[in-house]
């Protein structure tokens, strides 16, 4: 079982603060890195799927970077809002032939944004 | 609207009984997945299927069984052999083609309680 680590485990910030989280994954046999947002009482929703070293993706105030050589990805939220409160999951996809498509999930970072 | 449905939302069973969790998708996705979530843990893969009539064990398949007779449906049976079946179960689906990775779409989940 491959190890995907996310830090911090939880984070509390004030509205308007910018914040970032880290996802660490095995740097060998890399194929893809996914980020998902999971709001309470809802289903997880995909934010980004990244496959290339140096990839940077952006969706509104949220952006992500990817370093496959050292095995980490950062998720940034600029000017956090209460509606950003959620658990953010990262998931690593290895390049292993028949296992293409399966993901290994981290435990998530739980973000709470206070008004 | 396209999406994934899981039923029921809550399920209660007595120890020793098998129980089947339903997962249906109308997204025309080839791949489907079953995950389990326990407190403080990431999503752990139970089984996945990349095509009809074919499926693979994930990391925690013991005590579970699946079938994939139709593209739209991927039911999960929790057998009496599963030692700790009480958990939250999520079903997901994705497109899958050779050489590509796609985001996963999740259902609303089923919370199973076995007493």
């Amino acid at each position: 079982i491959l190890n995907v680590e996310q830090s911090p485990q939880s984070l509390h910030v004030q509205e308007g603060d910018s914040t970032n989280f880290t996802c660490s994954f095995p740097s060998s046999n890399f194929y893809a890195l996914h980020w998902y947002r999971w709001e309470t009482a809802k289903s997880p929703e995909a934010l980004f799927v990244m496959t290339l070293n140096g990839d940077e993706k952006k969706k509104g105030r949220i952006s992500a970077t990817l370093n496959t050589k050292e095995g980490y990805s950062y998720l940034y939220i600029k000017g956090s809002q209460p509606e950003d409160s959620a658990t953010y999951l990262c998931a690593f996809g290895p390049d292993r032939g028949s296992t293409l498509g399966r993901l290994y999930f981290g435990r998530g970072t739980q973000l709470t944004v206070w008004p | 609207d396209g999406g994934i449905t899981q039923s029921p939302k809550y399920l209660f069973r007595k120890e020793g009984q098998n129980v089947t969790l339903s997962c249906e998708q109308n997204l025309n996705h080839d791949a489907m997945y079953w995950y389990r979530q326990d407190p403080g843990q990431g999503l752990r893969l139970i089984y996945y299927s990349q095509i009809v009539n074919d499926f693979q064990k994930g990391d925690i398949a013991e005590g579970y069984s699946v079938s994939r007779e139709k593209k739209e449906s991927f039911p999960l049976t929790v057998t009496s052999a599963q030692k700790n079946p009480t958990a939250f179960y999520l079903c997901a689906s994705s497109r899958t083609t050779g050489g590509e990775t796609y985001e996963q779409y999740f259902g609303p989940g089923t919370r199973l309680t076995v007493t």
Side-chain angles (χ1 to χ4, degrees), chain B residues 80-100:
Chain B
S80 56
Q82 167 49 234
K83 291 184 170 48
N84 297 297
T86 294
F88 184 68
Y89 292 87
L90 270 174
C91 179
S93 72
S94 71
R95 289 191 286 165
T96 181
T97 58
E100 294 289 336

Side-chain angles (χ1 to χ4, degrees), chain A residues 1 9 31-32 34 36 38 41-46 49-51 89 97-108, chain B residues 33 35 37 40-43 45 48 50 56-59 88 90 94 96-104 106-108:
Chain A
I1 297 179
Q9 187 175 342
Y31 190 75
H34 296 217
Y36 292 84
W38 194 357
K42 295 187 177 180
S43 307
E45 287 185 339
V49 176
M50 298 188 285
T51 58
L89 303 173
S98 65
T99 67
L100 191 66
R102 73 145 295 170
L103 298 174
Y104 293 86
F105 280 83
R107 296 184 181 193
Chain B
Y33 312 84
Y35 295 96
Q37 194 204 25
Q41 300 248 25
L43 298 180
L45 184 65
Y48 63 111
Q50 292 176 317
Q56 289 81 39
K57 292 181 179 180
D59 302 318
F88 184 68
L90 270 174
S94 71
T96 181
T97 58
E100 294 289 336
T101 182
Y102 295 98
E103 65 193 275
Q104 293 187 6
F106 287 85

Side-chain angles (χ1 to χ4, degrees), chain B residues 5 26 29 36-37 40-41 47 61 63 73-74 77 80 85 108:
Chain B
T5 56
N26 61 4
H29 287 167
R36 169 182 171 139
Q37 194 204 25
Q41 300 248 25
Y47 269 98
S73 179
F74 192 40
T77 297
S80 56

